Amino acid sequence: MRRSKWTGLSFLLPGFCGVAVFSLLPFMDVIRRSFVQAVSGRFCGLENYRIVLHNRAFLLAVKNALRFLLVCLPLLLGISLVLAFLLHAWQMAFHQKLRLLKAAYLVPMAIPAASLVLLWKLMFDKHGFVNGILHLCGIHAVDWMNTGAAFFVLVFSYIWKNLGYTMVLWLAGLCSISPDLYEAAEMDGAGRMTQFFKITLPLIRPLIFTIVVLSFLNSFKVFREAYLVAGNYPQEDMYLLQHLFNNWFTDLSVDKMAAGSVLLALVITVFVLLLQKLWETNE
């Protein structure tokens, strides 16, 4: 038993060392830098945090990030779950594996960000594909990238890119449920909605936590498309925290960037821990 314990630790040790060297130690240095001035290196206490929390660009980025999360997460989770449930029901009815179709779901994640940006420009340019359709319908063209509509371009980009991946995760959970449970429920007179709420949701409950956390973390990666489309200073509804950090890095405002990074890491950690606590409480 003791030997098997050390064997397991020996397999974990290289990975832990890699995380420590490339993630934990650099982040500890970021925490240290958040309490000192960038130029002199003199300790300044919470001054950097005070400056960041009163920075108008930081407040705008936080507002946009919260708005983006509140809109995108429910849409992504709801749409992907409904589509996954319909595909799973179709698969059970016709006894087909749909392996090729499942692989096609992941195509958006495989497309390089630079190629994706060209697609967005073709679609959402003032003379692009979307405005062409609006013109045929008798609707005036929309300047998507320079008005408040830019926010919805960002939402569309996030959902389109992550929908297939999230559907595959839902399908993995749905496929793990035994068909016998649905057959027994149907024999007892339970309808589709009753089966969904009494069988499906309780059994995929552990998976929901994982999918919510992954979708939450993936929402911070939408910056690449926004940056490549609109640059350092996009329309203000598209201005995200990553834009702010990138601009601070360009200006060598290391102290503000460090303080902002610590605040962001703290918020993400608290969100994940609260979500985990909520899941454990309701089990």
Side-chain angles (χ1 to χ4, degrees):
M1 181 65 123
R2 192 179 189 86
R3 185 176 179 181
S4 63
K5 177 183 176 181
W6 284 108
T7 302
L9 289 175
S10 66
F11 279 106
L12 292 174
L13 188 60
F16 177 77
C17 291
V19 172
V21 172
F22 295 106
S23 296
L24 295 180
L25 292 179
F27 186 68
M28 294 300 292
D29 185 61
V30 169
I31 295 175
R32 181 190 66 81
R33 290 175 180 272
S34 69
F35 292 103
V36 300
Q37 294 179 349
V39 178
S40 64
R42 188 177 62 184
F43 179 78
C44 61
L46 298 176
E47 180 64 18
N48 291 331
Y49 291 93
R50 187 193 67 79
I51 293 174
V52 167
L53 291 173
H54 287 83
N55 185 285
R56 291 181 61 186
F58 179 78
L59 296 177
L60 173 64
V62 168
K63 184 191 76 171
N64 288 338
L66 288 175
R67 181 188 177 197
F68 183 78
L69 287 171
L70 291 175
V71 171
C72 285
L73 280 184
L75 281 176
L76 176 66
L77 297 174
I79 295 173
S80 61
L81 178 58
V82 170
L83 292 177
F85 183 74
L86 293 175
L87 286 171
H88 180 63
W90 184 47
Q91 177 177 311
M92 290 179 62
F94 295 97
H95 304 287
Q96 297 180 14
K97 294 299 181 182
L98 304 176
R99 291 178 181 174
L100 184 61
L101 191 57
K102 290 178 183 177
Y105 300 154
L106 302 177
V107 169
M109 298 199 73
I111 298 177
S115 303
L116 197 59
V117 166
L118 294 177
L119 176 62
W120 290 160
K121 287 184 177 180
L122 287 173
M123 289 184 63
F124 296 105
D125 186 77
K126 194 170 183 179
H127 303 287
F129 179 73
V130 175
N131 278 332
I133 294 178
L134 293 178
H135 179 72
L136 292 175
C137 298
I139 303 174
H140 292 294
V142 178
D143 190 1
W144 293 96
M145 303 310 299
N146 297 306
T147 63
F151 175 79
F152 298 100
V153 174
L154 205 61
V155 171
F156 174 79
S157 171
Y158 171 77
I159 292 178
W160 179 82
K161 189 164 187 177
N162 292 280
L163 183 61
Y165 172 70
T166 311
M167 284 174 58
V168 169
L169 294 179
W170 285 125
L171 281 170
L174 293 173
C175 290
S176 66
I177 301 174
S178 173
D180 296 339
L181 295 175
Y182 293 106
E183 292 176 5
E186 198 168 340
M187 291 286 291
D188 290 337
R192 290 287 184 182
M193 293 299 293
T194 304
Q195 293 177 30
F196 178 75
F197 285 104
K198 297 296 184 180
I199 298 176
T200 305
L201 277 184
L203 291 179
I204 64 172
R205 182 182 178 82
L207 184 64
I208 297 176
F209 172 78
T210 303
I211 294 178
V212 171
V213 172
L214 288 175
S215 301
F216 174 71
L217 296 177
N218 284 333
S219 67
F220 291 95
K221 299 179 182 178
V222 76
F223 160 74
R224 293 175 299 177
E225 289 80 7
Y227 176 77
L228 290 173
V229 168
N232 289 329
Y233 299 97
Q235 201 275 340
E236 66 173 21
D237 288 328
M238 286 180 68
Y239 192 77
L240 302 174
L241 285 166
Q242 294 91 334
H243 287 100
L244 181 65
F245 291 144
N246 186 69
N247 294 335
W248 278 345
F249 179 78
T250 304
D251 296 337
L252 298 180
S253 300
V254 180
D255 46 1
K256 290 191 292 185
M257 187 170 60
S261 300
V262 172
L263 289 173
L264 179 61
L266 183 62
V267 169
I268 292 175
T269 303
V270 169
F271 173 81
V272 173
L273 291 177
L274 286 177
L275 192 62
Q276 183 178 13
K277 185 67 175 178
L278 178 65
W279 246 248
E280 292 174 351
T281 303
N282 293 329
E283 283 184 353

